[in-house]
Amino acid sequence: MATIFKNDKIEFKGDPNKIDNYRIFTASPRLASVVNSRNLIFDLRLLNPGQFSFPYHFHRNAEELMMVISGSMTMRSPDGFEIVTKGDIVFIEMGETGAHQFFNHNDEPCTYLDIRTLIGIDIVEYPDSGKINVMPGFEVFEKSSRVDYFKGEENILEKWNELKK
């Protein structure tokens, strides 16, 4: 069954866990959760003047599509900065070349539709701060803590023998 989200019925709420400069608002309840979407995450976002969307990031296993519904904002990508305005559609590929962040450089709010694929686990990487985020669990780690695959596995025979006792 098709679901229609009427514009005059959509309410935006801020996330109380956000910090200054990242006070983005999202339609509440979250649209994808209303319809129990299995393969898409989609939200309507409201970005007020002087605010950033999210930290600069890219997805290793998700593609994104953004459409500006009202207003305009500046998009940061590996290619630099570009202004996107009402009606513009931005496709963001997975991987480092798809790194992105939005900033509302205007005096008026910017509303945009944010669509992302959801196919299993996604790893989100934040180049500016050296973090990685395992999604959908939202488990954030510093990339610098990366270890060798076999770290801590050196004494496997001793571990097996201890377990057999």
Side-chain angles (χ1 to χ4, degrees), residues 94-165:
M94 67 177 76
E96 291 182 50
T97 57
H100 62 284
Q101 182 179 40
F102 298 113
F103 173 71
N104 186 340
H105 62 275
N106 292 302
D107 295 333
E108 296 185 16
C110 178
T111 305
Y112 65 97
L113 180 62
D114 178 351
I115 304 170
R116 184 175 74 238
T117 56
L118 175 62
I119 305 170
I121 300 290
D122 184 22
I123 305 296
V124 183
E125 192 165 328
Y126 303 88
D128 289 349
S129 57
K131 296 184 307 254
I132 57 171
N133 187 352
V134 181
M135 300 291 284
F138 212 80
E139 299 174 40
V140 181
F141 303 91
E142 290 185 334
K143 192 174 178 182
S144 62
S145 66
R146 184 177 185 168
V147 297
D148 182 75
Y149 178 74
F150 287 107
K151 181 180 190 259
E153 306 296 336
E154 298 85 0
N155 301 315
I156 188 64
L157 285 175
E158 291 175 20
K159 290 176 187 173
W160 272 62
N161 289 333
E162 184 64 32
L163 291 170
K164 286 182 178 180
K165 292 181 183 179

Side-chain angles (χ1 to χ4, degrees), residues 42-61:
F42 58 98
D43 287 303
L44 198 57
R45 310 256 191 215
L46 176 72
L47 191 59
N48 281 314
Q51 296 296 307
F52 290 88
S53 55
F54 298 96
Y56 186 63
H57 68 283
F58 64 87
H59 298 263
R60 292 188 186 173
N61 192 38

Side-chain angles (χ1 to χ4, degrees), residues 10-37:
I10 293 175
E11 292 184 35
F12 290 95
K13 290 192 178 173
D15 181 341
N17 296 321
K18 298 286 182 182
I19 63 170
D20 287 344
N21 297 322
Y22 292 98
R23 304 248 185 240
I24 191 168
F25 290 80
T26 302
S28 181
R30 298 189 73 163
L31 303 182
S33 66
V34 169
V35 297
N36 295 318
S37 178

